[in-house]
């Protein structure tokens, strides 16, 4: 190959300035530069092909150097014919194109190029043949190495199997000889089975050595040394000669595992019943099927889906996967986790009498809390701001050995929802009506709530000690609301009491016990507790505290409680006197400590068996609440175009607020009162509301949303006050709900756009039109009604139709500018930027005032 190259170099040395190319002979290539307009040029490559022809009298020109080149031509069957090259014709004259002369290449150069081309073809064929031979040789080497690896692996496996079998046999023989136990016969049988030749993966039989049979000597008498031979002591553990033997079952299991490893025997598949919820992750589904998550992912890949183990699939897809893997499926709904939580039926023989739950209802300032205060002999009203009960309180008193549970509800209209919840959790409703004030709006609402709850009513006519008290008027007005007292021929018990004097309180308690005896109230104390959350708050020192009323069962510390969206283990139970108790029987109100969060007032609670179920139930409820909230906000929010169009059409203005209160019930009452203040133009938007003190995160939220912070019976900590001062956010503190609602109402009134009010001033009739140079048209008028003022708004009226509305440019009396012209006098008036006035038109003068509106 090197010789050929050197030969080519010698041959091509005739034209040292030309480079070796593989162009076809007889082809010339040159470059022509074309010229265009504006001085542009372009280089164009030009090829000139020349045909060789010979005349009959020409002699062939001898070659420059004899070169023998073989070019394979598989298509031509005949032998090549060697002819003398005909004599080339004389070179044509040089051709001139585009300003460049193209000269013909010499014959020697053409021949050298042809020989180089043929040589390169030969080398290509040789290189291709060498590459094929090299690839074939590599494949043979790879196959040989693979066979050697397989042979080596097979030999190694056989050697390991043989060594393991020998070691196993040797150890068994030593153990048998040492122990001389009666297991020798069974072990010999097992070893005889193992001696049979087994085929390995390569097919060659491996013969295991037979363990030599050990002669059994006579069984010695059992002494202390033989009796303790099989026991593990410190000496036997440290000495090698008396090692403890493995059991027969352990050796059999080890042999079976080794056999499976040799023959790659698969384990038997276990079919399971898979419980499927509405949605499940692929990882969880694989665990329930006892399959690998990778196998489930592979199954989805075969179906054309690329999923991860953490992806969630629906129940139908999960059922299809489980069926494909050979398992049975049992579908369950997600709401099934709440089954058996409430309304568990009790046997009649397990029921025992329980105290009645009494709710005190009525109008504000009719003396409900004072009446309960007199019954409990404790001053409750002094703890409430302004003498108004702001949230529910639950207490228990005892009369003649019988307990009575009282729930005190606020009487103000803002606490309607709280009072409704109080009526639902009660057995008897006491309707407190002041004898000097008679039936009021909240009294009527309380009657409606009691009737809706289906509970009997006892009327307590309070304040009978006042000089203007009229109990009979109260009884007469109650008739209009279908409350028929006994003295008026009905069935409703009524008692005249005085909370301040303590009059007839015993009669009221006896009436309650009589009504409870008629109702025959019973509950099962020997079961898990159920009940209702009366109130909930976030205490700074104790955490979330819920006031609950146990309705059935007995609540004890350590119970796992689920209340609404929250759960927790009961850490302590506190009664209405502030003391800790060991258990809370039915109809007893207690404060529960230990919940994870603050539940909503009115939520039902129940005791569950373990934390796992409590966590599962609360997560399900929280997810439902989030989805409901998202759906509600999505429905309110809509698209951006809808929001913008709604703002443009309605012009609704919002007053954002962050509300923090002491208890959940007070917050609900505040939100309900603020919702009633809203109109089509302005409304209060609650950005966040929660129980507990004002924290730095509340200030950050208010700063982001541009909201004001309202604290109801709570205060801000030091960090929150500093952050509010830095951000310029106002924090308002309130203890009475009236003041809070009034302040928010005033703020909302400030958001109302002022009302445009128009006041009529007077009319003037145009008598004549004067056209004055450089001034324009002036209307000579007489004031026919009221007066005309300069600077007021004017309208031009023609045939009772308003033609123009604007302002006056000038108002003159004779030649003087005047501020106003009274009725009956004449004046001259000109409009600003308007001159189409006619005789007989009426000019109306009016004043516009912007009046501030209030809600």
């Amino acid at each position: 190959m090197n010789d050929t190259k050197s030969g080519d170099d010698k041959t091509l040395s005739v034209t040292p300035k030309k480079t070796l190319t593989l162009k076809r002979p007889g082809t010339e290539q040159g470059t022509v530069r074309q010229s265009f307009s504006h001085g542009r040029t372009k280089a164009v490559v030009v090829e000139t092909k020349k045909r060789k022809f010979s005349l009959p009298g020409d002699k062939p020109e001898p070659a420059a150097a004899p070169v023998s080149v073989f070019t394979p031509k598989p298509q031509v069957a005949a032998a090549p014919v060697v002819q003398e090259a005909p004599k080339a014709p004389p070179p044509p004259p040089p051709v001139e194109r585009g300003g460049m002369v193209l000269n013909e290449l010499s014959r020697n150069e053409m021949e050298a190029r042809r020989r180089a081309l043929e040589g390169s073809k030969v080398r290509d064929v040789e290189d291709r043949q060498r590459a094929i031979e090299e690839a074939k040789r590599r494949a043979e080497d790879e196959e040989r190495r693979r066979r050697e690896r397989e042979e080596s692996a097979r030999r190694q496996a056989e050697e390991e199997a043989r060594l393991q079998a020998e070691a196993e046999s040797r150890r068994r023989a030593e153990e048998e000889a040492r122990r001389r136990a009666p297991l020798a016969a069974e072990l010999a049988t097992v070893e005889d089975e193992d001696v049979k030749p087994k085929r390995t993966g390569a097919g060659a039989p491996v013969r295991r050595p037979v363990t030599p049979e050990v002669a059994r000597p006579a069984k010695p008498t059992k002494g202390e040394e033989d009796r303790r031979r099989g026991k593990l002591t410190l000496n036997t553990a440290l000495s090698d000669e008396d090692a403890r033997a493995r059991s027969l079952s352990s050796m059999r299991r080890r042999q079976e595992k080794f056999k499976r490893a040799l023959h790659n025997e698969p384990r038997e598949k276990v079919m399971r019943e898979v419980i499927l919820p509405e949605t499940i992750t692929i990882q969880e589904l694989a665990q329930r099927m006892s399959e690998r998550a990778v196998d489930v992912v592979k199954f989805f890949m075969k179906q054309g889906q690329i999923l991860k183990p953490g992806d969630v699939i629906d129940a139908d897809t999960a059922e299809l996967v489980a069926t494909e893997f050979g398992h049975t499926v049992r579908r369950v709904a997600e709401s099934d986790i709440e089954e058996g939580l409430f309304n568990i039926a009790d046997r009649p023989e397990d029921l025992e009498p329980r105290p009645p739950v009494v709710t005190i209802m009525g109008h504000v300032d009719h003396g409900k809390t004072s009446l309960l205060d007199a019954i409990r002999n404790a001053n409750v009203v002094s703890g409430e701001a302004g003498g108004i009960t702001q949230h529910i309180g639950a207490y228990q008193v005892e009369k003649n050995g019988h307990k009575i549970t009282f729930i005190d509800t606020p009487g103000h209209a803002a606490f309607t929802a709280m009072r409704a919840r109080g009526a639902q959790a009660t057995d008897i409703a006491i309707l407190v009506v002041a004898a000097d004030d008679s039936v009021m709006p909240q009294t009527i609402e309380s009657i409606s709530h009691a009737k809706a709850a289906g509970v009997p009513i006892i009327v307590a006519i309070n304040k009978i000690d006042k000089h203007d008290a009229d109990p009979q008027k109260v009884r007469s007005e109650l008739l209009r609301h279908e409350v028929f007292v006994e003295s008026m021929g009905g069935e409703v018990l009524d008692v005249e009491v005085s909370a301040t004097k303590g009059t007839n309180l015993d009669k009221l308690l006896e009436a309650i016990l009589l009504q409870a005896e008629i109702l025959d109230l019973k509950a099962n104390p020997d079961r898990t507790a159920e009940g209702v959350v009366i109130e909930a708050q976030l205490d700074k020192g104790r955490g979330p505290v819920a006031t609950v009323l146990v309705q059935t069962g007995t609540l004890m510390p350590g119970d796992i409680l689920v209340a609404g969206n929250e759960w927790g283990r009961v850490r302590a139970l506190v009664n209405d006197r502030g003391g800790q108790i060991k258990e809370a029987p039915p109809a007893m109100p207690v404060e529960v400590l230990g919940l994870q969060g603050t539940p909503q007032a009115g939520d039902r609670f129940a005791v569950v068996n373990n934390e796992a179920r409590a966590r599962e139930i609360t997560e399900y409820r929280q997810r439902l609440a989030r989805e409901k909230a998202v759906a509600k906000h999505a429905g309110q929010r809509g698209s951006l175009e809808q929001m913008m169009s709604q703002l443009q059409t309605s012009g609704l203005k919002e007053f954002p607020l962050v509300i923090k209160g002491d208890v959940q019930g007070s917050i609900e009452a505040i939100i309900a009162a603020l919702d009633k203040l809203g109109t089509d133009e302005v409304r209060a938007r609650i950005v966040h509301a929660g129980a507990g003190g004002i924290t730095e995160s509340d200030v950050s939220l208010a700063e982001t949303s541009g909201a004001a912070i309202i604290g109801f019976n709570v205060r801000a900590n030091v960090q929150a006050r500093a952050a509010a001062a830095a951000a310029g956010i106002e924090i308002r503190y309130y203890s009475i709900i009236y003041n809070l609602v009034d302040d928010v109402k005033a703020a909302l009134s400030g958001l109302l756009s002022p009302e445009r009010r128009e006041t009529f001033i007077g009319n003037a009739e145009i008598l004549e039109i004067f056209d004055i140079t450089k001034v324009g048209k002036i209307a000579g008028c007489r004031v026919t009604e009221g007066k005309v003022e300069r600077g007021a708004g004017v309208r031009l009226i023609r045939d009772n139709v308003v033609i123009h509305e604007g302002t006056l440019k000038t108002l003159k009396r004779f030649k003087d500018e005047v501020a106003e012209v009274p009725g009956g006098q004449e004046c001259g008036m000109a409009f600003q930027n308007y001159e189409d006035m006619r005789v007989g038109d009426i000019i109306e003068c009016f004043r516009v005032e912007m009046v501030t509106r209030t809600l």
Side-chain angles (χ1 to χ4, degrees):
M1 190 172 183
N2 295 333
D3 297 341
T4 309
K5 283 184 179 179
S6 61
D8 290 343
D9 292 340
K10 292 175 184 179
T11 307
L12 296 175
S13 61
V14 180
T15 56
K17 292 183 182 180
K18 297 290 183 177
T19 58
L20 176 61
T21 59
L22 299 180
K23 297 176 186 175
R24 292 186 299 274
T27 303
E28 277 189 15
Q29 191 173 21
T31 304
V32 178
R33 184 164 297 278
Q34 292 181 325
S35 300
F36 298 96
S37 61
H38 303 287
R40 291 180 299 153
T41 60
K42 180 180 178 183
V44 181
V45 178
V46 180
E47 285 189 356
T48 305
K49 296 184 180 180
K50 296 183 180 180
R51 248 182 342 184
K52 293 183 180 181
F53 57 92
S54 59
L55 296 175
D58 292 338
K59 293 182 180 179
E61 186 178 341
V67 178
S68 175
V69 179
F70 172 72
T71 304
K73 295 182 181 180
Q75 289 84 2
V76 182
V81 179
V82 180
Q83 295 181 354
E84 289 183 357
K87 185 177 180 182
V95 182
E96 183 175 351
R97 288 184 185 174
M100 179 178 288
V101 180
L102 303 180
N103 294 321
E104 183 186 1
L105 298 176
S106 64
R107 290 185 181 275
N108 294 339
E109 191 172 351
M110 291 288 187
E111 190 66 23
R113 290 186 180 183
R114 183 182 64 79
R115 285 196 300 272
L117 180 62
E118 291 176 354
S120 67
K121 289 181 181 179
V122 173
R123 286 193 296 274
D124 288 343
V125 173
E126 292 176 353
D127 292 343
R128 199 177 299 114
Q129 289 177 353
R130 277 197 299 272
I132 292 172
E133 291 175 358
E134 187 70 22
K136 190 184 298 183
R137 187 168 62 255
R138 278 200 302 269
E140 290 175 356
D141 293 344
E142 187 67 28
E143 182 67 22
R144 177 173 51 78
R145 282 195 295 270
R146 187 182 62 80
R147 284 198 299 268
E148 289 177 356
R149 283 196 302 269
E150 290 179 356
E151 185 68 21
S152 174
R154 185 179 62 80
R155 285 202 211 96
Q156 187 175 357
E158 291 177 357
E159 185 67 20
E160 289 178 357
R162 185 180 62 79
L163 292 176
Q164 189 170 356
E166 288 179 358
E168 194 76 27
S169 301
R170 193 180 305 111
R171 190 171 61 254
R172 281 202 298 270
E174 292 174 357
E175 290 170 357
E176 292 299 327
R178 192 182 304 113
R179 292 179 57 189
R180 307 191 184 282
L183 298 175
E186 289 185 59
L187 282 174
T189 307
V190 174
E191 290 166 4
D192 289 342
E193 292 176 359
D194 292 339
V195 165
K196 295 177 182 179
K198 295 186 177 183
R199 293 191 176 274
T200 59
V206 178
R207 185 171 297 277
R208 298 186 178 182
V210 181
T211 305
E213 189 174 350
V214 181
R216 263 192 283 178
K219 188 174 181 180
T221 57
K222 188 172 183 181
E224 181 66 23
E225 217 172 293
D226 295 326
R227 187 173 65 81
R228 297 182 58 85
R229 185 177 294 277
K231 295 184 179 180
L232 183 64
T233 62
L234 189 61
N235 294 329
T236 56
L238 294 176
S239 62
D240 297 334
E241 57 188 26
D242 196 8
R244 193 171 186 181
R246 296 172 64 90
S247 66
L248 181 63
S249 301
S250 173
M251 288 188 285
R252 280 182 175 170
R253 285 195 300 268
R254 188 167 180 176
Q255 284 185 352
E256 289 175 3
K257 183 178 179 182
F258 179 68
K259 290 176 186 176
R260 279 200 305 269
L262 283 179
H263 296 280
N264 292 327
E265 294 179 4
R267 284 185 175 272
E268 185 179 355
K269 188 177 180 65
V270 180
M271 302 304 172
R272 299 180 179 274
E273 183 186 34
V274 182
I275 299 175
L276 295 180
E278 294 174 2
T279 57
I280 189 172
T281 63
I282 294 178
Q283 184 73 38
E284 179 68 19
L285 176 62
Q287 290 177 359
R288 296 188 181 189
M289 295 191 302
S290 294
E291 304 282 353
R292 295 191 309 162
V294 178
D295 297 335
V296 182
V297 171
K298 285 180 181 177
F299 172 78
F300 279 108
M301 291 178 69
K302 290 179 183 177
Q303 305 300 321
Q305 292 180 325
I306 306 299
L307 297 177
K308 302 186 294 296
D311 291 341
V312 179
I313 57 177
D314 57 1
D316 294 332
T317 308
E319 183 177 1
L320 175 66
V321 173
T323 307
E324 287 291 329
F325 277 84
H327 303 283
T328 57
V329 172
R330 180 159 65 90
R331 297 277 289 270
V332 294
E334 202 168 9
S335 58
D336 292 346
I337 59 175
E338 293 188 349
E339 284 187 358
L341 193 62
F342 298 110
N343 304 324
I344 302 174
D346 294 315
R347 294 182 300 175
E349 57 268 20
D350 296 334
L351 300 178
E352 297 179 6
R354 67 169 177 85
V357 179
V358 181
T359 299
I360 298 182
M361 311 173 80
H363 190 69
V364 62
D365 201 26
H366 273 204
K368 299 180 301 300
T369 308
S370 300
L371 182 63
L372 182 61
D373 180 20
I375 294 173
R376 294 179 60 237
N377 296 323
N379 192 359
V380 178
V381 174
S382 61
E384 298 285 353
I388 305 169
T389 305
Q390 306 282 344
H391 46 77
I392 293 179
Y395 317 98
Q396 199 168 46
V397 299
E398 192 168 343
K399 170 70 175 175
N400 298 333
H402 299 282
K403 291 184 178 180
I404 303 173
T405 299
F406 285 95
I407 298 178
D408 181 23
T409 61
H412 186 256
F415 296 90
T416 303
M418 293 172 62
R419 195 164 57 249
R421 282 200 297 269
Q424 290 168 0
T426 191
D427 303 316
I428 301 170
I430 293 182
L431 185 64
V432 179
V433 186
D436 61 340
D437 205 10
S438 193
V439 177
M440 298 301 286
Q442 276 77 50
T443 311
I444 301 170
E445 285 185 13
S446 301
I447 295 171
S448 303
H449 291 316
K451 289 184 176 180
V455 296
I457 298 175
I458 297 175
V459 179
I461 303 175
N462 194 18
K463 301 184 181 181
I464 61 169
D465 56 322
K466 290 197 173 185
H467 65 279
D468 55 347
D470 189 359
Q472 196 59 34
K473 180 186 176 184
V474 173
R475 296 186 180 97
S476 302
E477 291 192 4
L478 287 174
L479 289 175
R480 287 189 284 175
H481 302 288
E482 299 180 356
V483 178
F484 306 104
V485 297
E486 281 186 336
S487 59
M488 306 287 287
E491 297 180 353
V492 177
L493 298 174
D494 65 310
V495 184
E496 296 180 7
V497 297
S498 173
T500 55
K501 304 292 185 182
T503 310
N504 293 337
L505 295 182
D506 292 341
K507 288 185 179 180
L508 179 61
L509 295 177
E510 287 172 2
I512 293 171
L513 292 176
L514 176 62
Q515 187 69 53
E517 190 176 346
I518 296 172
L519 293 175
D520 191 21
L521 303 170
K522 290 185 177 181
N524 179 15
D526 302 323
R527 50 157 287 185
T528 57
E530 290 182 21
V532 63
V533 178
I534 297 174
E535 191 52 81
Q537 61 182 337
L538 187 64
D539 193 277
K540 186 175 182 180
R542 299 184 296 171
V545 179
T547 304
V548 302
L549 176 68
V550 182
Q551 293 176 317
T552 182
T554 302
L555 185 64
M556 291 181 287
D559 288 345
I560 299 171
L561 199 71
V562 175
N565 296 343
E566 305 295 339
W567 73 277
R569 187 180 292 275
V570 179
R571 197 168 69 240
L573 297 176
V574 182
N575 61 10
D576 57 331
R577 302 285 180 178
Q580 290 199 11
I581 56 176
K582 295 298 182 184
E583 61 179 19
M588 185 173 185
V590 289
E591 284 187 340
V592 176
L593 279 67
L595 292 175
Q596 301 284 336
T598 307
Q600 299 291 324
D603 288 339
R604 296 183 67 187
F605 77 86
V607 174
V608 295
N609 298 328
N610 49 37
E611 293 185 5
R613 188 171 184 221
R615 195 177 291 108
E616 194 175 5
I617 292 172
T618 52
E619 286 176 356
Y620 165 67
R621 290 178 175 177
Q622 288 169 4
R623 186 164 63 251
L624 282 185
R626 281 196 303 270
E627 291 172 357
K628 191 180 297 183
V630 168
K632 179 181 178 182
H633 289 310
Q636 291 177 350
R637 190 163 55 239
S639 64
L640 186 61
E641 291 81 2
Q642 292 173 352
M643 288 174 60
M644 297 304 293
S645 63
Q646 183 179 3
L647 284 174
Q648 289 173 359
T649 54
S650 65
L652 181 66
K653 296 180 181 178
E654 291 183 336
F655 182 39
L657 292 172
V658 173
I659 299 176
K660 297 301 287 290
D662 55 345
V663 293
Q664 196 70 34
S666 301
I667 295 168
E668 291 183 5
I670 293 169
I671 293 173
L674 296 182
D675 284 342
K676 292 180 181 178
L677 294 179
T679 64
D680 294 337
E681 294 185 46
V682 293
R683 70 180 178 92
R685 178 168 64 91
I686 310 301
V687 178
H688 171 67
I694 300 171
T695 61
E696 196 172 359
S697 61
D698 297 326
V699 177
S700 301
L701 179 62
E703 183 181 4
T704 305
S705 56
I709 301 176
I710 290 178
F712 188 78
N713 283 338
V714 294
R715 290 293 180 269
N717 56 25
V718 179
Q719 294 85 358
R721 288 198 298 269
I729 294 174
E730 183 183 12
I731 301 177
R732 291 282 189 98
Y733 300 114
Y734 298 93
S735 57
I736 299 178
I737 194 171
Y738 300 124
N739 302 337
L740 189 153
V741 174
D742 291 343
D743 285 0
V744 175
K745 186 177 180 180
L748 290 176
S749 300
L751 293 177
L752 288 172
S753 56
E755 183 181 357
R756 185 178 184 273
R757 189 173 296 174
E758 184 178 298
T759 306
F760 173 77
I761 298 177
N763 282 341
E765 183 182 358
I766 298 178
L767 303 178
E768 196 172 347
I769 302 295
F770 301 99
D771 197 353
I772 300 175
T773 309
K774 296 183 180 180
V775 176
K777 291 185 177 182
I778 301 292
C781 309
R782 180 186 292 116
V783 180
T784 58
E785 184 180 359
K787 62 179 180 179
V788 177
E789 293 180 356
R790 188 174 60 188
V794 288
R795 293 190 185 97
L796 183 65
I797 300 173
R798 184 179 301 159
D799 298 330
N800 295 324
V801 177
V802 177
I803 302 299
H804 173 69
E805 181 174 339
T807 56
L808 286 178
K809 180 169 67 174
T810 181
L811 176 63
K812 288 189 176 184
R813 174 93 173 126
F814 297 110
K815 293 185 178 181
D816 300 325
E817 285 280 346
V818 291
E820 65 177 39
V821 177
Q825 294 187 2
E826 296 181 352
C827 62
M829 287 189 283
F831 285 93
Q832 188 81 30
N833 301 325
Y834 189 79
E835 292 187 349
D836 185 14
M837 298 174 289
R838 300 178 187 176
V839 176
D841 291 348
I842 301 297
I843 296 176
E844 181 185 77
C845 188
F846 60 92
R847 185 186 300 115
V848 176
E849 296 175 344
M850 305 303 288
V851 182
T852 304
R853 291 188 298 158
T854 58
L855 286 174

